[in-house]
Amino acid sequence: MIPRPFWRARIESAWAEAPIVWLSGVRRSGKTTLARSFGPDRALYVNCDLPSAKDMVSDPVLFYRGCRKEIVVFDEVHQLQDPSTLLKIGADEFPKLKILATGSSTLAASRKFRDTLTGRKRQLTLLPVLWSELEAFGKAPLQKRLLHGGLPAALLADRKNDSLYREWADSFFSRDIQLLFGFRDYAKFNLFFEYLMKQSGGLFEAAKVSGSLGINRATVASHLRALELTNAMAVLRPFHGGGRKEIVKTPKVYGFDTGFAAFFKGWDPLRHDDLGVLWEHLVLEGLQAAAPARGIHFWRDTSGREVDFVLPRGRDSVDAVECKWDPRQFDPANLAAFRALYPRGRNFLVSPSASKPYAKRVKGLEIGVCDPAGITNGK
């Protein structure tokens, strides 16, 4: 079992605020392994996929009274008939107990949750292996992380196995999408999923997607919402407010993992031009992990000038993040256009070669150059 102290600490911190931690994340991202890492001395582990689990918790009060551990883990809790009542009783009647419940989607996505446990829970999304975790995973080379992706099994494999990605997509539809949302047309959903993966990191124009795939706009919207709720796609809305020529509606959509993006784009082996696109995905994952409560946006104007990521910090302050595989290729023109509209905030240039953060000034702009660890630490 490979330790993931970053995520363990996040769970413990969430328990200090609420009795229930809802741990979501895509299938095979390591939720079960993380949940089991608390060990049998501290935690009672319940695999809700097993038929015996339903009988075990049929009387929630009796179940909790018989628990002699400080932690109860309900893995894949949405498989139970009435998970919200089970969790609510645990939080209300046994407040000293720490509860960890896992599932692929956000809690509100499941039709089984009649009560979203407001005030009793904190939500945490487990992401694929982060930049900061590569050393723990056998010092995995960065380019392997970009090509294989960050699902632990894929990253630890000696070679990239294409069947893993196809099998994952099939399982994702049958085990998550059908169960949570009731979608029945696998071919239509899979066509949409593959299209988004091939376009990962690009602008999402609903009318164009609808016309290209022959899927009506309502279905496009419902499928995209399902993919966002199950953490399979990150939908970034444009940042705007100060310029009449800014894009204000069209979002960008990123696939959840570099390995899947590379697979569906057909990038094997990786070429040099592919690295920057996948590096942008990896930086985004680091931002999502470090500051989940902060909205992550991008900025683009009608002339095509763009800033990769924008992080509002207050009413009048916004941080700008540019991603470059090679920092020497950075052109400050787009950032300068953005700062002409929004002068207050920090500027970051994130590169894999910047293991030691440093500052530089380019055309009047002060820029902090760092790797993903540097920006997530606020340096």
Side-chain angles (χ1 to χ4, degrees):
M1 182 183 295
I2 296 175
R4 303 187 74 175
F6 172 86
W7 298 105
R8 282 281 299 268
R10 288 288 299 278
I11 293 172
E12 297 280 8
S13 177
W15 272 328
E17 300 176 0
I20 300 172
V21 174
W22 178 266
L23 179 66
S24 65
V26 299
R27 190 163 300 281
R28 298 183 186 174
S29 57
K31 298 188 299 295
T32 297
T33 302
L34 180 59
R36 285 187 175 275
S37 71
F38 289 96
D41 291 338
R42 291 187 67 194
L44 172 63
Y45 175 84
V46 181
N47 181 355
C48 300
D49 274 328
L50 299 178
S52 59
K54 299 175 178 63
D55 187 50
M56 183 187 304
V57 300
S58 58
D59 186 330
V61 173
L62 193 62
F63 167 78
Y64 286 120
R65 280 179 182 168
C67 179
R68 297 293 181 263
K69 310 292 183 181
E70 65 171 301
I71 299 169
V72 177
V73 175
F74 296 110
D75 200 7
E76 300 291 322
V77 70
H78 58 274
Q79 298 289 353
L80 299 177
Q81 188 63 35
D82 189 5
S84 57
T85 297
L86 174 67
L87 297 177
K88 185 177 180 180
I89 290 173
D92 292 350
E93 303 300 324
F94 302 86
K96 293 183 179 180
L97 194 63
K98 298 175 181 177
I99 299 172
L100 178 64
T102 80
S104 296
S105 68
T106 61
L107 183 146
S110 176
R111 293 172 295 176
K112 291 184 177 181
F113 279 88
R114 295 185 294 272
D115 187 325
T116 56
L117 307 172
T118 302
R120 302 176 179 90
K121 71 178 189 306
R122 293 294 181 269
Q123 299 195 101
L124 181 63
T125 301
L126 180 64
L127 294 161
V129 174
L130 303 172
W131 162 271
S132 59
E133 297 181 297
L134 287 178
E135 186 171 355
F137 281 78
K139 297 184 178 180
L142 176 56
Q143 290 202 29
K144 181 181 180 182
R145 167 62 177 84
L146 298 180
L147 178 62
H148 286 223
L151 298 189
L155 183 59
L156 293 170
D158 292 332
R159 61 183 181 83
K160 188 169 185 177
N161 184 354
D162 288 353
S163 63
L164 181 150
Y165 304 89
R166 284 291 179 190
E167 190 271 333
W168 184 96
D170 291 341
S171 177
F172 172 59
F173 181 80
S174 62
R175 297 266 299 171
D176 295 325
I177 297 300
Q178 276 190 317
L179 177 66
L180 293 171
F181 303 99
F183 297 163
R184 293 287 178 260
D185 193 332
Y186 168 78
K188 185 179 293 185
F189 180 85
N190 197 50
L191 180 67
F192 182 68
F193 176 73
E194 290 192 14
Y195 178 90
L196 291 186
M197 279 296 182
K198 289 176 182 177
Q199 304 295 322
S200 184
L203 292 172
F204 178 84
E205 300 179 58
K208 180 179 178 181
V209 175
S210 177
S212 298
L213 301 182
I215 301 174
N216 66 57
R217 290 282 295 272
T219 300
V220 166
S222 64
H223 283 8
L224 180 61
R225 183 58 176 158
L227 288 167
E228 187 176 16
L229 287 171
T230 52
N231 306 296
M233 297 288 167
V235 180
L236 270 59
R237 273 73 185 182
F239 181 87
H240 59 89
R244 289 176 293 178
K245 294 185 178 181
E246 295 172 302
I247 289 179
V248 300
K249 292 183 178 180
T250 308
K252 292 179 75 172
V253 176
Y254 287 80
F256 74 94
D257 178 64
T258 60
F260 282 80
F263 173 74
F264 285 106
K265 289 174 183 287
W267 291 354
D268 189 5
L270 294 179
R271 297 175 180 172
H272 186 269
D273 290 344
D274 306 331
L275 299 176
V277 176
L278 297 178
W279 173 248
E280 187 177 316
H281 283 66
L282 191 60
V283 173
L284 173 59
E285 291 168 25
L287 293 174
Q288 290 173 311
R294 292 180 65 184
I296 303 172
H297 304 266
F298 73 98
W299 177 83
R300 186 182 176 102
D301 66 13
T302 54
S303 299
R305 295 178 296 189
E306 184 173 311
V307 173
D308 292 330
F309 304 120
V310 169
L311 309 172
R313 283 201 295 125
R315 182 173 178 177
D316 299 315
S317 183
V318 57
D319 294 345
V321 180
E322 291 279 59
C323 309
K324 281 295 179 185
W325 184 260
D326 184 347
R328 295 172 298 180
Q329 297 178 348
F330 173 64
D331 183 343
N334 292 354
L335 182 59
F338 175 77
R339 284 302 178 202
L341 297 173
Y342 307 101
R344 294 184 60 187
R346 299 172 298 178
N347 303 312
F348 294 95
L349 177 59
V350 187
S351 169
S353 63
S355 57
K356 292 185 178 181
Y358 62 93
K360 69 176 183 178
R361 190 173 294 276
V362 182
K363 294 187 176 180
L365 296 171
E366 183 177 327
I367 300 172
V369 185
C370 58
D371 64 18
I375 185 174
T376 55
N377 289 334
K379 296 178 180 178

